[in-house]
Amino acid sequence: MRAGERKRELIYATAMELFRTKGFEDTTMRGIAERAGISLGSAYHYYASKAAIVFDYYSRLQAEHEAHVESLYDEAMEVEARLVAVTKLKLELARPDRKLLIEVATALVRPGDKLSAFSEENTDIRNRSIDVFARAIEAVPLTEEQRHAFASLIWVAHLGIFLYFVHDESHEQARTFALVEDAARLLTPLLFLATTTMAAPVAEAAFAAIAKAGLLPKS
């Protein structure tokens, strides 16, 4: 690892330590620099703001999710079980940072915020997350276009679950994990129903609505 990469990692690790102990709002770039033993200018060279560090966290969380998700699958694993496993894994990976996520949760849905789940800056992370859900439902006999449309809709639902998760004070967020199982149990039959001739008009209308809303993956 080169010197610049080591310094960036030092800043990131220091910032995450402070976010976890002091909280996002009470942590400053100056405090991060002082704790890391570097100049404030150097800290700003690698990260323009605290928000930029959180964005890096989002990216790393997504990469970690992708790295682990394939190990969950086997050939006999059904769609419902895949959806549950994929979603629970994301929550488990995020669990250590619930304090940070609680503080930045409003940014996830704030229009114009760079940390928003729908921001242009988040396009790559958003598309990669949608791809994970598309992989989870690959056993449903949909066209590639339809699969990504429904995966996009599942991604939106997962955002709602994620927001509930960071505010869930039940023991080990048991209510959220129960919600994941119930949602997958309800959703899976609807996915297969969407492939039938009778439901084709409804499925096409749903696809059109998702596309119109701009929820399909973008390059």
Side-chain angles (χ1 to χ4, degrees):
M1 185 182 292
R2 292 179 296 183
E5 292 172 338
R6 286 197 298 271
K7 184 168 287 188
R8 184 181 178 86
E9 286 300 310
L10 172 62
I11 296 167
Y12 177 82
T14 303
M16 292 303 297
E17 176 192 354
L18 291 174
F19 290 160
R20 288 164 177 159
T21 55
K22 296 182 61 177
F24 180 76
E25 293 299 331
D26 290 335
T27 298
T28 64
M29 288 296 289
R30 183 175 298 279
I32 294 169
E34 290 176 352
R35 176 66 67 88
I38 61 174
S39 70
L40 181 58
S42 184
Y44 275 118
H45 173 74
Y46 290 97
Y47 291 102
S49 64
K50 292 190 299 180
I53 300 173
V54 175
F55 184 82
D56 194 4
Y57 166 76
Y58 286 171
S59 182
R60 292 175 188 231
L61 178 64
Q62 180 59 37
E64 190 174 7
H65 192 216
E66 292 165 348
H68 288 83
V69 74
E70 286 298 322
S71 65
L72 298 174
Y73 297 154
D74 60 53
E75 291 183 3
M77 196 172 193
E78 298 190 0
V79 172
E80 180 183 325
R82 285 189 173 205
L83 285 172
V84 170
V86 166
T87 307
K88 284 187 174 182
L89 173 61
K90 185 71 167 285
L91 300 178
E92 290 286 4
L93 292 173
R95 190 196 295 277
D97 298 304
R98 282 184 67 248
K99 182 176 181 179
L100 167 62
L101 292 168
I102 288 170
E103 291 192 67
V104 301
T106 55
L108 284 172
V109 294
R110 184 186 298 126
D113 197 305
K114 291 184 179 181
L115 292 178
S116 166
F118 298 94
S119 71
E120 191 66 29
E121 290 81 0
N122 257 322
T123 297
D124 178 64
I125 297 172
R126 180 169 63 250
N127 288 349
R128 286 161 54 197
S129 185
I130 290 170
D131 285 343
V132 168
F133 288 111
R135 172 82 167 84
I137 63 172
E138 65 181 357
V140 183
L142 299 162
T143 67
E144 193 66 22
E145 195 175 35
Q146 289 171 335
R147 183 171 295 107
H148 274 80
F150 285 111
S152 298
L153 195 57
I154 294 168
W155 174 81
V156 173
H158 125 276
L159 281 184
I161 290 174
F162 203 80
L163 288 172
Y164 181 71
F165 168 75
V166 299
H167 291 93
D168 181 7
E169 296 299 334
S170 62
H171 180 63
E172 295 186 343
Q173 292 70 55
R175 290 178 179 172
T176 303
F177 284 87
L179 177 61
V180 169
E181 294 177 359
D182 290 340
R185 190 177 304 116
L186 292 168
L187 175 63
T188 303
L190 296 178
L191 289 172
F192 282 97
L193 179 62
T195 69
T196 64
T197 302
M198 183 178 297
V202 176
E204 287 303 316
F207 173 75
I210 295 167
K212 185 178 180 181
L215 294 176
L216 294 184
K218 299 177 182 178
S219 58

